[in-house]
Amino acid sequence: MNNCKSRVLFEKAKSLIPGGVNSPVRAFRSVGLNPPFISKAKGSRIFDVDGNEYIDYVCSWGPMILGHAREEVVEAIVKAAADGTSFGAPTEREVELAELICQAVPSVEMVRMVSSGTEAVMSAIRLARGFTGRDKILKFEGCYHGHSDGLLVKAGSGALTTGIPDSAGVPADYARNTLTASYNDCNELENIFREYGNELAGVIIEPVAGNMGVVLPEMSFLKLLRSLTIKHGALLIFDEVISGFRMSYAGAQGYYGISPDITVFGKIIGGGMPVGAYGGRKDIMERISPSGPVYQAGTLSGNPVAMAAGIATLEILRDNPSIYAELDKKAEKLEKAFLEAGRKNGVPICVNRAGSLLSAFFTKEKVIDYKTAVTSDTAMFAKYFAAMLEKGIYIAPSQYEALFISAAHTDEDIEKTVRCVAQLPLGEWVHAR
Ligand code: HOZ
């Protein structure tokens, strides 16, 4: 595969941008390759500056559920941009997107727009503290909630991929207020609540974990979490940056039937433009400035172009509910392909799938939490990644990220991917070690 231009660009980028990238996993370090530089994308395909074409299963790490450059979304963006790209003043589009979100997700009675998932989480945590008058928060190992100080503790995603789940630069005093527990561990949860329950401002969780690879929640664990948070007066915060509008139109909370107090969104609600939002019960949300004393602001919050892209995306999802069943079917075919490839080659693979989110772990363990996720053979993952890329299949360059399916993936795309998975010489790789 020709990658001359990408290599030259990466060298130049490294002299100008730390690591050559604006977000760590993009550097492909954990898979030992150079990243292709992307020039454009359409539907299920992305194209690099060397003219290579790939079937894209990164989908910008989640937002592109309708595929790239979907006509209605592009039209909405162009129309909004032509009317001015930022005013720093209220607009009708903000109200429209807020209404769409509140109608889709019943636990969200009010919502505040920001510009990224990190910003939304950071603000939601401040809100939980301001509302309860408590400082401590609980998070789960391997869950990733953006890169704000208090949450870079045993974090997943790029932090885990690059081997720094506890980042340098986070004051120990700050991280002291962040407690961590194992995902899906009911006993540990009960113990933590017994000891700290009445000091917790909130518990933040990815209701479907997508940043240590995909890990599904046990229903009993989610239910226990909900009942303990109610009992101890701690707010339950669902980070639905990945699962929101993906697991279902009502997110993971709609899928599992558990209502949090606060929900954090990002990705899909911006249709590929920079966006984040946090919303929840009215009495909690009314604590945010200027209604209440919890301060949070942003020049580009509710940006008209991002709102337009989000509205167009959510309207399509709302008006075409069959999209979710179709995504599920496509993802199921990929799930079966990985399982079959593992069986055929005598290589243990654990496939975790939540709707159109999927991870194949090279491990004999059932992956249910951080500890089991990191048993995965990442050297094997790197070989699999390189082989798929060579065949024109673009997946996230990390064992600890999800594979995303979009409405634009055609049956032919899926069949080609299934064939590529079937051709992987998994057995040879195992024996070569
Ligand atoms: N942390 C993001 C995925 N969970 C990576 C985003 C990016 O590199 O674009």
Side-chain angles (χ1 to χ4, degrees), residues 23 25-26 61 144 157 211 401:
S23 191
V25 274
R26 295 180 196 177
W61 309 86
Y144 179 71
S157 189
N211 287 292
E401 301 282 357

Side-chain angles (χ1 to χ4, degrees), residues 389-427:
L389 194 69
E390 194 58 36
K391 289 172 193 287
I393 314 282
Y394 186 81
I395 55 174
S398 161
Q399 174 70 81
Y400 306 115
E401 301 282 357
L403 191 144
F404 294 90
I405 317 241
S406 80
H409 284 97
T410 61
D411 288 343
E412 291 71 43
D413 290 333
I414 301 293
E415 274 152 28
K416 178 175 174 191
T417 311
V418 167
R419 277 198 304 278
C420 291
V421 171
Q423 288 160 6
L424 293 171
L426 298 173

Side-chain angles (χ1 to χ4, degrees), residues 23-26 28 56-64 68 157-158 161 210-211 241-242 246 267-268 357 394-398 400-402 404:
S23 191
V25 274
R26 295 180 196 177
F28 277 39
D56 178 23
Y57 289 106
V58 178
C59 291
S60 185
W61 309 86
M64 312 319 300
H68 294 282
S157 189
T161 307
N211 287 292
V241 168
I242 288 180
R246 180 166 283 277
K267 301 200 190 266
I268 289 175
L357 295 168
Y394 186 81
I395 55 174
S398 161
Y400 306 115
E401 301 282 357
F404 294 90

Side-chain angles (χ1 to χ4, degrees), residues 304-348:
V305 184
M307 296 300 100
I311 292 164
T313 300
L314 295 198
E315 281 178 347
I316 292 170
L317 292 172
R318 180 195 62 193
D319 299 343
N320 299 277
S322 62
I323 283 180
Y324 289 99
E326 286 155 18
L327 289 173
D328 202 70
K329 260 196 232 145
K330 293 178 208 172
E332 194 185 1
K333 284 189 186 158
L334 294 185
E335 176 184 7
K336 283 190 179 146
F338 283 113
L339 291 173
E340 181 52 31
R343 249 193 312 270
K344 203 180 76 191
N345 289 283
V347 173

Side-chain angles (χ1 to χ4, degrees), residues 7-272:
R7 275 176 179 273
V8 171
L9 275 172
F10 194 40
E11 284 314 308
K12 184 167 184 188
K14 282 193 277 191
S15 70
L16 296 165
I17 304 170
V21 288
N22 283 311
S23 191
V25 274
R26 295 180 196 177
F28 277 39
R29 282 203 184 169
S30 70
V31 291
L33 295 172
N34 287 327
F37 275 57
I38 306 305
S39 56
K40 61 177 184 178
K42 180 70 187 162
S44 62
R45 307 291 169 127
I46 52 167
F47 302 83
D48 70 19
V49 289
D50 290 290
N52 301 305
E53 178 178 340
Y54 310 87
I55 302 175
D56 178 23
Y57 289 106
V58 178
C59 291
S60 185
W61 309 86
M64 312 319 300
I65 192 167
L66 299 175
H68 294 282
R70 170 98 176 203
E71 284 79 5
E72 298 92 320
V73 180
V74 173
E75 267 168 34
I77 290 172
V78 169
K79 187 166 181 305
D83 287 339
T85 52
S86 183
F87 317 120
T91 67
E92 190 172 348
R93 287 193 181 93
E94 293 165 89
V95 186
E96 257 183 75
L97 186 57
E99 190 170 34
L100 277 167
I101 293 172
C102 293
Q103 282 169 350
V105 186
S107 75
V108 177
E109 294 170 347
M110 293 184 110
V111 61
R112 170 61 70 85
M113 303 294 169
V114 292
S115 296
S116 72
T118 290
E119 194 186 346
V121 166
M122 188 184 84
S123 312
I125 296 288
R126 181 178 305 145
L127 173 60
R129 288 180 167 142
F131 182 80
T132 58
R134 303 172 180 178
D135 287 342
K136 288 197 188 328
I137 53 158
L138 173 66
K139 78 175 284 286
F140 295 90
E141 281 178 19
C143 283
Y144 179 71
H145 304 290
H147 59 87
S148 65
D149 279 353
L151 292 162
L152 277 181
V153 180
K154 297 195 177 161
S157 189
L160 178 56
T161 307
T162 53
I164 42 171
D166 301 281
S167 172
V170 174
D173 267 0
Y174 206 101
R176 212 187 40 210
N177 280 320
T178 307
L179 306 180
T180 56
S182 307
Y183 203 83
N184 276 328
D185 187 334
C186 291
N187 284 337
E188 196 181 355
L189 197 58
E190 275 172 341
N191 289 338
I192 288 182
F193 266 90
R194 207 168 293 124
E195 192 163 352
Y196 299 104
N198 297 340
E199 293 173 56
L200 285 174
V203 181
I204 184 160
I205 187 166
E206 293 177 83
V208 170
N211 287 292
M212 48 179 153
V214 175
V215 176
L216 278 73
E218 300 281 350
M219 225 22 237
S220 54
F221 174 70
L222 282 186
K223 281 188 181 158
L224 180 66
L225 190 53
R226 182 62 284 193
S227 67
L228 287 173
T229 43
I230 289 175
K231 183 173 163 203
H232 291 267
L235 299 186
L236 179 57
I237 306 169
F238 272 8
D239 180 338
E240 295 232 41
V241 168
I242 288 180
S243 59
F245 295 91
R246 180 166 283 277
M247 281 295 291
S248 75
Y249 190 63
Q253 58 192 275
Y255 186 88
Y256 291 111
I258 304 264
S259 288
D261 301 300
I262 302 176
T263 303
V264 178
F265 299 98
K267 301 200 190 266
I268 289 175
I269 64 157

